[in-house]
Amino acid sequence: MTANPIPAATSAARDLFEPARLGPLDLPNRLVMAPMTRNRAAADGTPLPIMGEYYAQRAGAGLIIAEATTPSEVGATYPNTPAIYRDTHVKGWRAVTDTVHAAGGRMFLQLQHGGRIGHPETSGLHPVAPSPVPFPDPMHTPSGSRPSVVPREMTVDEIHATVEDFANAARNAIAAGFAGVEVHSANGYLLHQFLGQDTNRRTDAYGGPVANRIRFTVEVVRAVVDAIGAERVGVRIAPGVTANAMAEGDTEAIYPELVAALAEIGPAYLHVVFADPDQALFRELRAAWPGTLIANPVLGWGGPLPEDGGKAAAQRLLAAGADLIALGRPFLANPDLVHRLRTGAPVNQVRDYGLMYTGGADGYTDYPALGDSDAADRAGLAAAGA
């Protein structure tokens, strides 16, 4: 069972702004900053000081899950995304976590291997994947948009080595000051590629039936739990999400079996992307998961943020049984999002989406906060004993 699960609550009792507990952490509220790739690291994956400023601005979140970070060189996805497999990466992330801790925040780090979502011009290595099925669209590289390459099918030995890469990355994350890690098995990256029928055409123990296709994710999570403890580990899944050209094929069969296998290992939380409380599968997974469930609502990707910053959608998910709510773009555009949602203040809209990935302060650390809201939220954190 999950260590220190959030106690069950009725929908009437559960509130976005009440304290909660997650593994070893006391959270001042139930709002989680979702991991979002922002491309502000150095070319070699070392986090830069501006990343500490960005996350510290958002330390009012109950929990920050820092952006997708590669556990190995071949796992790199896009230019200027962070890594966690070298001492320089650990040192860079330690500077980030120190800054966030000084601001009163708490952080997990998302671990992501890109699989076929990668390019030799970015990593210097040929991408690997469950099967040699290329990403159908061009790939962004340091020298611009380039045709995707056919990934090389991973050998069983490489699969086992990648499992150990995740375990080592988790140890490095703890050394870098993170409270824990989130294993990314969603959104079309390597672990998700193993789950889907279209991207996994293997005929060995890692392909074919659902029990085989979930094996890699289960092995990674077990290795990470063994490395740093179940209370410091979360898992992100995206049932039916087609990001990065995913086509699972048998979503309703995959996730009940995967969630049951993960529940036996007992990580601290399950994080569901684009959770819909009206969908039967979401309700089934909530009923099957014995511990903390983080739900990420659908807010209309590519369109404007809701005028309430996602508050109503968050409250619907709490009423449907979610324990914590992960918001992405609302936190991106509003460093003081918790204060705005608590008081009903207007929210900033996301500016030009290109600014999300261009580097520098523009569209990153220059979103305005409301007056003295930062001080107010810090005072709230102190009162909560965070």
Side-chain angles (χ1 to χ4, degrees):
M1 292 288 290
T2 302
N4 297 318
I6 294 177
T10 66
S11 60
R14 194 179 272 123
D15 183 83
L16 279 173
F17 308 108
E18 68 184 1
R21 186 164 179 84
L22 177 66
L25 296 178
D26 290 316
L27 312 183
N29 57 71
R30 294 178 181 266
L31 287 159
V32 176
M33 179 178 173
M36 293 175 284
T37 295
R38 301 306 310 276
N39 303 78
R40 261 67 177 192
D44 69 350
T46 301
L48 296 176
I50 194 172
M51 295 169 63
E53 179 185 354
Y54 167 73
Y55 285 116
Q57 289 175 342
R58 291 153 178 82
L63 176 69
I64 294 170
I65 306 174
E67 63 208 272
T69 298
T70 183
S72 64
E73 192 168 12
V74 73
T77 51
Y78 314 108
N80 300 103
T81 54
I84 190 70
Y85 56 87
R86 291 179 181 153
D87 289 345
T88 52
H89 302 149
V90 173
K91 183 178 179 181
W93 273 122
R94 169 59 79 170
V96 172
T97 61
D98 283 350
T99 303
V100 173
H101 294 157
R106 297 136 302 277
M107 296 185 80
F108 269 46
L109 178 67
Q110 187 183 74
L111 302 179
Q112 171 193 279
H113 188 303
R116 70 175 183 168
I117 308 300
H119 198 279
E121 289 191 16
T122 300
S123 68
L125 299 171
H126 199 88
V128 296
S131 301
V133 181
F135 181 62
D137 300 322
M139 191 70 58
H140 184 61
T141 78
S143 58
S145 181
R146 295 288 180 268
S148 296
V149 300
V150 178
R152 181 172 55 79
E153 181 170 302
M154 299 172 74
T155 67
V156 171
D157 285 345
E158 286 174 324
I159 290 173
H160 294 164
T162 302
V163 170
E164 186 56 30
D165 286 339
F166 272 88
N168 287 333
R171 296 184 189 99
N172 286 342
I174 299 304
F178 288 97
V181 302
E182 178 176 278
V183 175
H184 197 12
S185 186
N187 294 3
Y189 298 103
L190 181 65
L191 275 67
H192 199 187
Q193 292 162 26
F194 269 88
L195 298 180
Q197 290 180 328
D198 183 59
T199 45
N200 184 349
R201 303 178 186 179
R202 303 176 71 97
T203 57
D204 63 4
Y206 290 91
V210 168
N212 288 357
R213 282 184 279 130
I214 69 172
R215 188 184 307 274
F216 181 53
T217 291
V218 172
E219 289 181 352
V220 168
V221 174
R222 182 178 292 113
V224 171
V225 163
D226 288 346
I228 63 173
E231 73 281 1
R232 297 182 180 276
V233 181
V235 184
R236 197 182 207 208
I237 60 172
V241 172
T242 58
N244 286 315
M246 278 300 299
E248 292 170 341
D250 53 353
T251 299
E252 288 73 16
I254 294 169
Y255 288 95
E257 192 162 346
L258 174 61
V259 167
L262 294 175
E264 292 184 7
I265 302 170
Y269 70 78
L270 184 70
H271 182 179
V272 181
V273 176
F274 290 173
D276 183 347
D278 294 328
Q279 287 189 346
L281 182 57
F282 173 80
R283 296 193 296 271
E284 180 181 358
L285 298 182
R286 171 64 281 188
W289 183 249
T292 299
L293 184 79
I294 302 178
N296 166 233
V298 181
L299 298 182
W301 178 255
L305 294 176
E307 290 185 3
D308 69 351
K311 184 176 180 178
Q315 290 174 327
R316 285 190 68 230
L317 282 167
L318 286 181
D323 299 295
L324 304 173
I325 303 299
L327 297 176
R329 293 176 301 137
F331 268 112
L332 185 160
N334 296 273
D336 55 349
L337 180 67
V338 176
H339 174 77
R340 290 175 189 256
L341 297 189
R342 183 185 289 120
T343 62
V347 296
N348 299 324
Q349 287 292 331
V350 178
R351 302 207 306 271
D352 179 1
Y353 275 80
L355 297 176
M356 293 175 67
Y357 312 114
T358 53
D362 198 11
Y364 190 58
T365 55
D366 63 345
Y367 279 102
L370 282 172
D372 61 353
S373 62
D374 185 67
D377 278 337
R378 295 296 175 271
L381 291 175

